[in-house]
Amino acid sequence: MAGFVDATKVAPVADGEWSAELDGQWAVMGRPNGGYLAAVLARAAIASIDAAHPHPLATNAHYLNPPSPGPATIVTETLRRGRSVSQVRTRLIQDGTPCVEGVFTLGRLAPDAEPVWSVEAPPVLPPPQECRLMIPRPSPTVTVEILEVIEQRLDPAVLGHLRGAPDGGGEIRGYVGFVDGTDFDPLGLLFAADALPPASLTVGASGWVPTLEYTVYVRALPAPGPLKVRQRARLIQQPGWMVEECDVWDSADRLVAQAIQLASVRFS
Amino acid sequence: MAGFVDATKVAPVADGEWSAELDGQWAVMGRPNGGYLAAVLARAAIASIDAAHPHPLATNAHYLNPPSPGPATIVTETLRRGRSVSQVRTRLIQDGTPCVEGVFTLGRLAPDAEPVWSVEAPPVLPPPQECRLMIPRPSPTVTVEILEVIEQRLDPAVLGHLRGAPDGGGEIRGYVGFVDGTDFDPLGLLFAADALPPASLTVGASGWVPTLEYTVYVRALPAPGPLKVRQRARLIQQPGWMVEECDVWDSADRLVAQAIQLASVRFS
């Protein structure tokens, strides 16, 4: 079982080309998780500019074809190297098939950055021990491999759908930590902001919600400890496209990541 | 004065290469507006797949170097052609310099699409005639060229900053229409979601707010008539990065676009 840092590492192959080993543990139903893939691309993007700007301020990923666990190639292209930010394009390729296209604005976050202005407040959660620990094999046909490597404790108030009674709120919230005790870094946040079950479950949608596009802004360096994560459906429109946002606070209640995604939703 | 459709048109040059003429009217302080540039890229992306999927479901644009009005080249690359969506990468180049990198998920919106579930409600606005009409030369050193081609009427309740008394709310809202009476289409929405003054003005920031990255989801085909647009600062973090969201409703009060951007903000 590879920790998050090992599972996202990339090795240089040639100028602008990197190899990665996609880890089957950082997956859902056998497919590498979208936030995990974004983190692998981010690692290559940062390495491609010699870590001059080590943090992904803005991440966009478009999911083209789902890769399988195993070897993959990442190509990187520097779009612009600037003083305060650099911009890098990336592509994950497996067996000649483009799988994920990612574009990054990279910069440097200050350890002591404080909000100048904010409307955001962390979710009010029960203590972790009163939250429900999510398990990797909730039914014989479902495997959520990432739940072997992350500890996900969700607010029971929003889990009515697990008893067949969705609460209709469009929101899922809880705590996320790495099982091996690793603290989150900015790349870990790219994963954490796509690690909760889809909020559409709370409004009666069926489970499988493939992400088409995922955008994440990392806003601050997270303090050690588990994260508070809140995922909200904003609008689900016929024929089944959802815009869902995800906000992430660190253990000091600082907003450290803001994400949004377009996903495909089915109602059974 | 070119209308929006003429100002965004592209012509084929070679396989995967297009020419455009960036119009100086669709600009702020002499620089083509970011939403306008996203619409030009979208037009090339859609043309590149023969309009099989004519609507930009998800748009990401990273701004690399600001182009000037005048000729530009757009290169397009099909990432994936699918049944329900296609994905296309684009780049706007001027005089050999890459200016904007854009990635699109294209699909087809149904004219009668209805929300399945939503938390969004349109802003409560005074009638248009009680809103403040924004003008293209508000001071001798400021030119907002787009205000010659769009009619922008803002809610006076959030314009305290124009009198030196920012209200602190982090929100700007109002009506946006094309002066020549053109109705909005999905590409027009890419422009409309980046056409208001920055919401950071209401919390005391100075004016110039360059966008680093801009993400837009077009959710429905807009009904004819002016749009209701609400722009909100969500978090402004040291040393001056803002995540700002913009939501757009049509004249029938349907949410037609949801946007978010990372911009650089200064406090003078």
Side-chain angles (χ1 to χ4, degrees), chain A residues 60 62-64 77 80 87 89 91 101 105 114 116-117 120 213 217 219 233-234 236 241, chain B residues 60 62-64 77 80 87 89 91 101 105 116-117 120 213 217 219 233-234 236 238 241:
Chain A
N60 301 138
H62 283 252
Y63 299 92
L64 313 170
E77 179 189 9
R80 179 174 168 268
Q87 290 144 309
R89 186 179 73 77
R91 180 174 301 171
E101 186 82 5
T105 291
E114 291 292 335
V116 177
W117 188 86
E120 312 290 350
E213 183 271 352
Y217 306 105
R219 307 307 309 279
R234 290 189 52 190
I236 305 175
W241 284 312
Chain B
N60 301 137
H62 281 251
Y63 299 92
L64 312 171
E77 179 190 9
R80 179 173 169 269
Q87 290 145 308
R89 186 180 72 76
R91 181 174 300 171
E101 186 83 5
T105 291
V116 178
W117 189 86
E120 312 289 350
E213 182 272 352
Y217 306 106
R219 306 308 308 278
R234 290 191 49 191
I236 304 175
Q238 285 171 340
W241 283 312

Side-chain angles (χ1 to χ4, degrees), chain B residues 231-251:
Chain B
Q231 195 147 287
R232 294 198 284 204
R234 290 191 49 191
L235 172 66
I236 304 175
Q237 187 92 322
Q238 285 171 340
W241 283 312
M242 169 169 69
V243 168
E244 182 182 57
E245 67 179 16
C246 184
D247 294 295
V248 181
W249 288 263
D250 68 8
S251 60

